[in-house]
Amino acid sequence: MRKLLVALLMLPALARAEFWTGNDLFNRMSSTDVIERVQAVGYVMGAYDVGVNLFFCPTTQTGITAGQLRDMMFNWLSANAHRRHESAEKLINEVFAKNWPCRNRGGGTRL
């Protein structure tokens, strides 16, 4: 029972939400610390899960890997250092929407 209480008290410290910039995301992706790199992949995957079929529409729901999502963002952030100060979530949605636009019946992009 005591262990459960200690675990529950620690949850708020472990489950905190953060707003990251592109700099935060890029720095974690570039880190030598495995935990920071895993956090970065988790952040990208979380943004993907929230935005899929809302802001961007991949042609398939299978076969897209966490590594592919990570590589897309890392490459974009590497090539666009001048935009890294912006919201990481905004940048993720923008990059994925460019690669996987949502088309309505009229053929326009739904963003």
Side-chain angles (χ1 to χ4, degrees), residues 3 9 17-18 29-30 35 44 46 73-74 76 89-90 101 106 108:
K3 288 181 183 179
L9 291 173
E18 293 183 33
M29 287 179 161
S30 304
I35 292 173
V44 172
M73 284 313 304
F74 183 80
W76 191 90
E89 182 181 5
K90 174 188 170 218

Side-chain angles (χ1 to χ4, degrees), residues 58-101:
T59 55
T60 179
Q61 295 298 314
T62 59
I64 299 171
T65 67
Q68 179 182 1
L69 298 175
R70 181 247 179 238
D71 290 349
M72 289 172 69
M73 284 313 304
F74 183 80
N75 292 337
W76 191 90
L77 290 167
S78 295
N80 294 280
H82 66 285
R83 301 261 323 264
R84 286 190 211 150
H85 65 282
E86 296 176 39
S87 160
E89 182 181 5
K90 174 188 170 218
L91 296 175
I92 291 167
N93 287 333
E94 183 179 319
V95 170
F96 292 168
K98 182 178 179 186
N99 288 284
W100 297 308

Side-chain angles (χ1 to χ4, degrees), residues 1-12:
M1 182 68 170
R2 182 179 168 116
K3 288 181 183 179
L4 177 62
L5 180 60
V6 170
L8 290 174
L9 291 173
M10 290 180 61
L11 276 178

Side-chain angles (χ1 to χ4, degrees), residues 45-65:
M45 290 174 58
Y48 175 88
D49 286 342
V50 169
V52 71
N53 297 322
L54 181 61
F55 301 119
F56 46 88
C57 300
T59 55
T60 179
Q61 295 298 314
T62 59
I64 299 171
T65 67

